[in-house]
Structures are given as structure tokens and as C-alpha cells.
């Protein structure tokens, strides 16, 4: 499979090159040149297939012959070694829990897939060439990447995170592993981290010294495996025979965009809903037709504190840059922190379901959309385990959460980070 840059000013590349480069040299995001629908027989028999087979069918055209079937299936088996439960919350509404992996957020799947692909490519080479993975995190990416890449041969990982703006557990997950993982604590917001990472990719001095790649969802190997969740949910809910609506709490819009890719492969999804916090760029765009990025605002759903969603361009590409086509397929709503807490309490009191702030926004947005839609089965994505957001949860809910073993294992470890405030300090670090 060939990938082209969405800025259209860079050469087409292979899957491997797109993964190793992260971003195209013209700063564009890579996008697959062709997208082929899966056969109807696949969807008819999906309930008889296991997760690895489903994932393989979904991703194989995007990898092409660059990883042989046997190896790709091995990678997928390893990546998907935990559950993706669908939990019924109320009539016609289910939660798709994507937080049962090692760092308890949905990003584990993408991070693990990318790490294993890079590991595979490195093994094929006679001359080892180290790759440096540079990643900005608003909270959960850092932990997922640290865990996914820990100990991978020939890969150094540098994580940039905004100081004081990630939760304690998120910070522990990305600052305590050591080995090939380094955490840089940035005096700024997430967008500052993301800007520094983007700048580093285009810096000629760095390019001569390092093979730099990104492990944010701009990287196709992080982004595309997120399609799997939507297939798994479809498999679980198919027998209901209702119109399927997915509500995806969104920040950089990689996850929801992967869902739209699954839809392009033929997965019968009726509609998408995006839920956001005060960082409401996309809902505003859907309302007004004007796309205006902003500086990000801090909220209790911190993984969505993104003021310039990097994957939105891929969503536009998938809808042929047609605003009306996009509006038909996507609705968007935004909620305040107060409304988010209210929803968390409501879900616990009325439905005995414990949601995290992101999932709660997904729930609210879904409810809003379903007010006007009949005969639909709604699914909101529970993108992280509530324990990752303990300080902001109401007291009664805090007390009813038990500590999962994945968190127990890191909570008392010592934090190691290097503080930086500007791009020059990042560059100096990378050059030393
Ligand atoms: C990363 C993240 C999101 C946002 O996902 P995008 O793909 O960036 O839109 C939502 N919720 C949680 C818990 C996350 O970690």
C-alpha cells in the first residue's frame, strides 16, 4: 500500500516509510492511496470470527505485503491480548470499554501495534539503525507509548508532557519506566508540546543526527489499528439489527477518524457523534461552517484538551472535503466540567455505571443525538479507566473504585523527568 501526504507536496511512500517517518516532509499527514471495501461475506460471518482474524482482515490492505500474514497475525495476537467489553448501560445505550490494556486507556492498541511494527522492521535490517520516537501527550498517549515501546530494540522514546496538566497516575505511567523511555516535562500546555514535536521533525540539524518518528495518532501505525474497536462492537451488537451510532470523546480526532475508516471499509455505521469539553473546535465548525483553532483550555477531561486537532484533515479527506457530507455523518456537542461531573453522578446513581470524564462526555453527546433518532443502538466509547482521573471524581464514586493491578504496579514508583520550557532546550537534549 502506498501513502500520500495530505499536503500533496511530498513523494508517495510505503507503509514502512510512513511509519518510520511519522509525518511527511511537507508537514502533511499520510493517507492511504486506495481504500477497498471488505467483502459482504466478511460482515455476514463476523460473529464467527475471533478478534485477531477480524483485525487482520481490517488492516491487511493497509500493510500490504510489507509484513507477511504470519508475522502480522502474531503482532495482532500480541497487541490484542486483553478484552474490549460492551457493557449495557441503559436501553439502547452501551459503553464500549477500551481501557482493559496495560495502561488503561484506548491508546494501548495503537501504541503496541506501532511498537511491534517498528520492532519487526528493525529485525529485518542487516545494519541496525536506531529510531527515536518523539511524542507529545495530553495525558494517556505518554503512558501507552512508554509501555508499548519499553525494551523494544533499536528504539529510543522521548515523551513531552505539559507540567501539572496530566493526572498523577498518567504522570507515573510515563515517568517511571526508565530503560529506553525519557520523559520531558514541558512548562506549557499540550499544544506547546505538540508544536515542539512538529518543529523537531522539520529540523535539518536533528534529521542528520537522528531517525525521528512520531507516535502520536498522526502516525498511521498508531491511528489505523483503532479501527478494530468499531468492528469488535459491531460483532457484539449485530444481532440487535438496529442502526449503529458511535459516540467518540475526541481530542486529536484520531479515534473517531479510525471509526470513519472502518465505515469506509463497509462497516454499517449509521452515524458518528463527537463529544468534547470546552475545546469545542469541531462542534463549532459543524454549527457555523467556520473552522477556527484555538489555544487549548484546561478541563477535567484532559486528554481532550486540544485546540488544534491534528487528525481533522483526515476526516475531511474521508468526506471528500464536502461539508454537507460531513454534517450528515457527524454530529458534535461540547460540555462543561460541571455537566461532566453531573453525568458521572447520574450514570452511577441511575445506572450503576462508573464512567471517567471522557466517557461521560461521550454518554451526554450520545443522549443528545438520540433524542432525534429512532431505532438506533448507541455506543459511547469509554476511553480510559475512571481511576486515571481519581482527583476530579466525586467522593462517593472515588470510594467505590478498586485499584486495578496495572495501576497498583506503578503507583509507588519514583518519577524521573527533565524540565524544559522551549524548543531550543528540546533540541539541545536531542543533540547531546
Ligand atoms: C486520547 C484520548 C481521547 C481523545 O482521543 P483522540 O483520538 O485524540 O480524539 C479521549 N479520551 C481519552 C481517555 C484519551 O486518552
Amino acid at each position: 500500500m502506498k501513502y500520500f501526504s495530505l499536503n500533496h507536496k511530498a513523494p508517495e511512500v510505503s507503509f514502512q516509510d510512513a511509519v518510520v517517518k511519522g509525518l511527511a516532509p511537507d508537514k502533511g499527514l499520510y493517507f492511504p492511496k486506495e481504500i477497498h471495501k471488505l467483502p459482504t461475506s466478511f460482515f455476514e460471518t463476523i460473529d464467527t470470527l475471533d478478534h485477531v482474524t477480524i483485525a487482520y482482515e481490517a488492516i491487511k490492505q493497509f500493510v500490504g505485503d510489507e509484513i507477511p500474514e504470519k508475522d502480522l497475525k502474531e503482532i495482532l495476537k500480541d497487541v490484542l491480548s486483553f478484552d474490549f467489553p460492551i457493557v449495557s448501560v441503559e436501553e439502547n445505550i452501551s459503553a464500549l470499554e477500551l481501557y482493559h490494556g496495560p495502561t488503561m486507556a484506548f491508546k494501548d492498541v495503537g501504541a503496541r501495534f506501532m511498537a511491534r511494527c517498528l520492532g519487526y522492521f528493525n529485525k529485518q535490517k542487516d545494519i541496525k539503525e536506531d529510531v527515536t520516537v518523539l511524542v507529545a501527550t495530553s495525558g494517556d498517549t505518554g503512558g501507552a507509548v512508554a509501555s508499548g515501546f519499553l525494551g523494544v530494540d533499536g528504539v529510543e522514546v522521548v515523551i513531552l508532557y505539559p507540567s501539572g496538566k496530566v493526572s498523577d497516575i498518567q504522570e507515573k505511567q510515563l515517568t517511571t519506566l526508565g530503560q529506553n523511555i525519557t520523559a520531558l516535562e514541558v512548562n506549557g500546555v499540550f499544544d506547546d508540546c505538540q508544536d515542539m514535536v512538529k518543529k523537531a521533525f522539520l529540523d535539518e540539524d536533528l534529521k542528520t543526527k537522528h531517525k525521528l518518528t512520531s507516535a502520536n495518532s498522526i502516525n498511521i501505525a498508531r491511528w489505523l489499528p483503532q479501527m478494530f474497536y468499531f468492528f469488535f462492537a459491531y460483532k457484539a451488537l449485530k444481532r440487535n439489527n438496529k442502526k449503529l451510532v458511535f459516540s467518540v470523546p475526541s481530542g486529536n480526532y484520531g479515534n473517531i477518524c479510525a471509526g470513519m475508516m472502518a465505515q469506509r471499509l463497509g462497516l454499517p455505521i449509521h452515524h458518528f457523534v463527537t463529544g468534547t469539553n470546552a475545546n469545542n473546535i469541531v462542534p463549532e465548525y459543524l454549527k457555523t461552517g467556520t473552522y477556527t483553532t484555538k489555544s487549548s483550555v484546561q478541563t477535567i477531561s484532559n486528554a481532550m484538551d486540544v485546540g488544534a486537532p491534528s487528525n481533522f484533515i483526515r476526516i475531511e479527506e474521508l468526506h471528500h472535503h464536502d461539508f454537507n457530507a460531513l454534517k450528515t455523518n457527524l454530529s458534535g456537542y461540547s460540555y462543561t466540567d460541571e455537566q461532566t461531573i453531573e453525568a458521572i453522578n447520574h450514570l452511577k446513581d441511575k445506572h450503576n455505571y462508573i464512567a471517567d470524564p471522557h466517557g461521560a462526555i461521550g454518554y451526554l453527546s450520545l443522549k443528545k443525538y438520540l433524542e432525534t433518532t429512532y431505532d438506533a443502538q448507541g455506543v459511547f466509547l469509554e476511553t480510559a479507566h475512571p481511576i486515571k482521573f481519581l482527583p476530579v471524581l466525586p467522593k462517593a464514586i472515588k470510594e467505590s473504585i478498586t485499584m486495578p493491578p496495572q495501576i497498583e504496579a506503578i503507583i509507588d514508583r519514583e518519577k524521573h523527568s527533565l524540565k524544559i520550557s522551549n524548543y531550543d532546550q528540546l533540541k539541545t537534549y536531542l543533540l547531546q
Side-chain angles (χ1 to χ4, degrees), residues 102 110 116 120 160 167 186 200 223 298 301 316 319 326 359 381-382 405 420-421 424 432:
R116 281 153 187 76
Y120 174 85
L160 282 77
S167 80
V186 175
W223 168 51
Q298 196 178 346
S301 44
E316 298 213 283
H319 295 85
L326 178 62
L381 273 51
E382 240 308 353
I420 62 165
S421 317
D424 286 341
Q432 66 179 266

Side-chain angles (χ1 to χ4, degrees), residues 105-107 140 249-255 303-304 356 358 383-384 389:
F106 78 86
K107 296 185 175 77
D140 290 318
S250 298
N252 255 326
Y253 284 76
N255 206 9
M304 307 198 291
D356 91 295
H358 306 79
T383 44
F389 306 94

Side-chain angles (χ1 to χ4, degrees), residues 273-393:
V273 179
T274 168
T276 60
N277 52 34
N279 300 284
N280 60 354
I281 288 81
V282 173
E284 278 301 303
Y285 173 58
L286 292 169
K287 208 187 305 171
T288 63
T290 313
Y291 191 80
T292 319
T293 59
K294 303 184 220 173
S295 216
S296 54
V297 191
Q298 196 178 346
T299 72
I300 60 167
S301 44
N302 67 329
M304 307 198 291
D305 294 350
V306 181
S310 48
N311 281 287
F312 195 69
I313 178 82
R314 283 180 171 143
I315 292 185
E316 298 213 283
E317 181 73 17
L318 278 167
H319 295 85
H320 311 288
H321 300 270
D322 176 344
F323 182 63
N324 288 322
L326 178 62
K327 267 185 82 154
T328 312
N329 198 30
L330 175 68
S331 302
Y333 309 100
S334 83
Y335 293 93
T336 63
D337 283 353
E338 290 71 35
Q339 290 170 312
T340 308
I341 292 292
E342 235 172 77
I344 291 173
N345 278 319
H346 167 87
L347 280 164
K348 174 79 171 81
D349 295 344
K350 294 282 183 307
H351 305 294
N352 200 26
Y353 188 78
I354 302 183
D356 91 295
H358 306 79
I361 287 178
Y363 170 77
L364 284 174
S365 313
L366 181 60
K367 287 286 274 189
K368 182 84 193 148
Y369 173 75
L370 291 180
E371 280 173 11
T372 56
T373 311
Y374 301 97
D375 202 28
Q377 169 68 45
V379 178
F380 65 96
L381 273 51
E382 240 308 353
T383 44
H385 193 291
I387 199 157
K388 297 188 89 170
F389 306 94
L390 224 40
V392 307
L393 296 183

Side-chain angles (χ1 to χ4, degrees), residues 19 33 175 177:
V19 176
K33 204 175 165 202
T175 57
L177 295 183

